[in-house]
Amino acid sequence: MPVPDSFKEGLASGWKTYNGSRLEQDLTLEADVAIIGSGAGGGTTAEILSQAGFKVLLIEEGPLKTSSDFKMQEPEAYGELYQEGMGRMSKDGAITIMQGRAVGGTTLVNWTSSFRTPDGTLQHWADEYGVKGHGVAEMAPWFARMEERLGVAPWALPPNANNEVIRRGCDKLGLHWKVIPRNVRGCWNLGYCGMGCPTNAKQSMLVTTIPQALNHGGELLYLARAQRLLLSGDQVSGIECVGMDERCVQPNGRKILVKAKHYVLAGGGINSPALLMRSAAPDPHQRTGQRTFLHVVNFSAALFDEVINPFYGAPQSIYSDHFQWDDGISGRMSYKLEVPPLQPAITATLLGRFGVDNALRMEQLPHTNVMLALMRDGFHPDSAVGKVELRGDGSPVLDYQMTDYTWDGIRRAYHTMAEIQFAAGAKAVLPLHADADYVPTLAKARELIDNLSLEIYRTRLGCAHVMGGCGMSEDPKLGVTDSLGRHHQLRNLSIHDGSLFPTSIGANPQLSIYGLTAQLASQLAERLAGGK
């Protein structure tokens, strides 16, 4: 029996939406609040403001795809649901950047891991960046509210074999591990979360906050790229958008002008600062696009006699923070340990090599585990850091410069992952690096890892968490916005997304964005209602 497509049912009931690829003429739209981006920040903001009685307009560059469109096929999903067709890279091409680009944003394609912002991170922001109102006690009720709203709870089923490697290896070595909270309800345990949830179990913005906003009179414009903000003095007077073709590759010539009383940027850590830069928004202290972080990750593969089938089951259900804070908040580079799901196309890229070598590695996929180490960047002055730049056509690119400090964390993480994998029973381990091959013992792995030349292109690097670029601070010299997400120079512009983070957070960021933007949107609703 097919699963009902709740979003299409809502469309049939009369929700007001505009498809930028099918406009027959230019368009002008008006709203109380225009929100650019429909992911964790934009969707949460839209629900809260619409429930408070404001007419909201959500603007999304990507397409509208719903549960009946999700076929668990990599070729279609990556091209339709990800920024640059899953081809977004750092400026030097060394780091793959996985970000969603469709109605629902990255919440549509993430792996559902949901963590509160670590206490030490919140304290660091207050101490180092003058952030106010977001301490542990102040944020706790907002996290609780969004956990309840989105069904966030520790995964109750046994971990799949890919995640079991972390649990078993950590137990053998006496290392800390825990179960990951996931934002799902009635999950079928398919394992294809990165391609959109065909059962609507994942509580993404597509099935939660966006429908609620549309039910309360909100409107949705999709396949429309926000090109620039129109500025008048210290205010935004409008947004110039362009319609995109159905594949979201090229503008189709249609123009959409959006007029609102208040504007909210929620495009994420690359797109939000890029829009400000394209708009020549005031930036007297040169903060826009600076200090953008990735939680850059490296990987380690392992072969087991047992069947792992790492493409089935909840993608992430076990993690270890044993090494995440082992040298204090600003000590040596530290990292969180998780696993990625391993569908064939993405795995072929991860495992590397070409031709017969790659085919032989892929032949062993059913017996392969891969671990990842998520680097906590931004807490130390020598950490790798990124900055958003504009290409000649105005599109954004992130220049992320690796450092010796970060490479040290990468090497130690290779050692840690190999130790855990062998402790869990692996018969061979492969650090995912161009110069590495499978080795059968921990001693050989240690020798191999110590002798690897850690450099871009040779070391396989990726990321799925983009943070910063519009950091918040009460001091305009340190941040683009204040602690309420209000742009320091533009009175009717707020930012509600992960670009507000002054550093990375050291955990998968979606719940941090949900909690923070729920707080900021609620405060914004009060200010707008009071006419302040």
Side-chain angles (χ1 to χ4, degrees):
M1 181 177 175
V3 176
D5 188 328
S6 57
F7 203 97
K8 284 189 176 176
E9 292 173 356
L11 291 173
S13 75
W15 286 348
K16 195 68 175 292
T17 65
Y18 307 89
N19 181 341
S21 73
R22 297 185 179 179
L23 295 178
E24 297 180 355
Q25 57 189 15
D26 292 349
L27 187 65
T28 298
L29 297 174
E30 296 186 359
D32 294 324
V33 183
I35 303 168
I36 302 167
S38 64
T44 301
T45 298
E47 178 179 59
I48 289 171
L49 292 179
S50 64
Q51 288 178 336
F54 297 100
K55 179 185 176 182
V56 302
L57 172 67
L58 271 170
I59 304 168
E60 170 58 50
E61 178 182 16
L64 171 61
K65 299 292 182 179
T66 62
S67 58
S68 56
D69 298 312
F70 303 144
K71 307 300 184 184
M72 303 194 300
Q73 295 295 314
E74 289 176 277
E76 289 83 3
Y78 297 155
E80 292 177 347
L81 305 179
Y82 285 79
Q83 289 285 352
E84 301 177 36
M86 186 68 116
R88 176 163 276 186
M89 307 285 286
S90 56
K91 185 179 180 180
D92 55 20
I95 304 171
T96 300
I97 301 173
M98 297 170 63
Q99 282 185 296
R101 186 211 57 189
V103 175
T106 302
T107 75
L108 199 67
V109 294
N110 68 22
W111 301 335
T112 75
S113 299
S114 303
F115 297 93
R116 295 187 178 193
T117 314
D119 295 358
T121 299
L122 293 174
Q123 189 60 52
H124 183 75
W125 292 352
D127 294 342
E128 299 296 325
Y129 297 97
V131 172
K132 295 182 179 179
H134 306 310
V136 176
E138 292 158 308
M139 292 306 302
W142 297 103
F143 291 139
R145 169 176 169 170
M146 295 309 294
E147 286 163 348
E148 173 65 24
R149 174 70 182 93
L150 302 174
V152 174
W155 183 234
L157 296 179
N160 69 356
N162 200 31
N163 283 271
E164 173 67 10
V165 169
I166 297 182
R167 190 201 63 77
R168 192 165 65 222
C170 285
D171 273 348
K172 290 283 183 65
L173 296 172
L175 305 178
H176 164 83
W177 64 269
K178 284 189 74 174
V179 174
I180 293 177
R182 305 183 64 220
N183 63 314
V184 295
R185 286 191 169 98
C187 177
W188 289 28
N189 210 16
L190 298 175
Y192 282 69
C193 303
M195 274 143 269
C197 182
T199 69
N200 282 333
K202 182 196 298 188
Q203 299 298 285
S204 71
M205 301 298 92
L206 180 73
V207 300
T208 56
T209 60
I210 295 174
Q212 281 302 304
L214 296 174
N215 282 334
H216 283 82
E219 298 181 358
L220 169 66
L221 168 66
Y222 61 94
L223 284 171
R225 176 180 293 163
Q227 284 287 79
R228 68 186 184 103
L229 305 174
L230 302 176
L231 306 180
S232 177
D234 63 353
Q235 295 200 68
V236 177
S237 60
I239 310 170
E240 281 187 357
C241 302
V242 293
M244 303 297 292
D245 62 25
E246 287 192 358
R247 297 187 306 138
C248 197
V249 174
Q250 294 288 341
N252 62 8
R254 295 300 179 202
K255 297 180 180 180
I256 306 104
L257 174 64
V258 175
K259 305 285 286 184
K261 299 170 185 174
H262 197 89
Y263 300 83
V264 176
L265 293 191
I270 292 177
N271 292 340
S272 284
L275 179 56
L276 291 172
M277 295 163 73
R278 283 198 300 273
S279 308
D283 186 21
H285 305 291
Q286 302 299 298
R287 303 307 301 171
T288 304
Q290 301 295 316
R291 291 187 58 80
T292 305
F293 302 102
L294 291 180
H295 282 162
V296 65
V297 301
N298 63 322
F299 308 87
S300 180
L303 293 178
F304 288 80
D305 288 326
E306 67 190 89
V307 173
I308 302 291
N309 282 348
F311 32 80
Y312 291 139
Q316 294 185 322
S317 56
I318 301 292
Y319 75 99
S320 174
D321 266 352
H322 190 93
F323 301 92
Q324 182 66 289
W325 311 95
D326 64 344
D327 194 30
I329 194 76
S330 300
R332 65 183 184 177
M333 174 60 80
S334 57
Y335 43 85
K336 187 183 200 75
L337 299 174
E338 299 172 336
V339 303
L342 299 177
Q343 277 75 40
I346 195 170
T347 307
T349 303
L350 274 178
L351 292 182
R353 299 284 176 90
F354 302 94
V356 173
D357 281 353
N358 182 262
L360 290 173
R361 289 181 177 183
M362 287 299 294
E363 184 181 35
Q364 301 169 100
L365 177 57
H367 295 268
T368 302
N369 155 264
V370 171
M371 289 181 61
L372 62 82
L374 181 155
M375 301 294 131
R376 182 167 58 84
D377 48 350
F379 290 82
H380 189 281
D382 295 332
S383 168
V385 65
K387 64 176 180 178
V388 177
E389 299 177 350
L390 297 180
R391 301 184 181 99
D393 64 356
S395 65
V397 64
L398 181 68
D399 185 10
Y400 189 86
Q401 294 293 318
M402 295 290 287
T403 64
D404 290 343
Y405 170 88
T406 300
W407 284 123
D408 174 67
I410 295 284
R411 193 181 304 275
R412 285 185 287 105
Y414 274 139
H415 279 292
T416 296
M417 291 187 286
E419 290 168 9
I420 292 173
Q421 288 168 321
F422 276 118
K427 63 181 183 180
V429 164
L430 165 66
L432 294 185
H433 185 285
D435 302 328
D437 213 331
Y438 281 105
V439 288
T441 67
L442 180 57
K444 288 185 179 296
R446 286 173 173 158
E447 180 183 4
L448 170 65
I449 293 165
D450 282 338
N451 287 291
L452 288 175
S453 176
L454 298 187
E455 54 189 282
I456 59 173
Y457 310 126
R458 309 203 71 75
T459 311
R460 196 141 293 117
L461 301 173
C463 82
H465 307 155
V466 184
M467 300 150 287
C470 295
M472 58 182 169
S473 172
E474 291 301 295
D475 184 349
K477 295 179 180 178
L478 297 178
V480 174
T481 79
D482 67 10
S483 302
L484 296 176
R486 300 179 296 190
H487 193 279
H488 277 301
Q489 284 79 36
L490 296 170
R491 289 194 296 118
N492 63 337
L493 178 67
S494 299
I495 301 177
H496 288 184
D497 60 22
S499 72
L500 291 173
F501 299 166
T503 65
S504 77
I505 64 170
N508 308 57
Q510 71 163 334
L511 181 56
S512 291
I513 300 171
Y514 291 139
L516 178 62
T517 55
Q519 180 195 39
L520 298 182
S522 298
Q523 294 167 336
L524 174 59
E526 292 177 1
R527 293 197 305 274
L528 293 176
K532 297 179 181 178

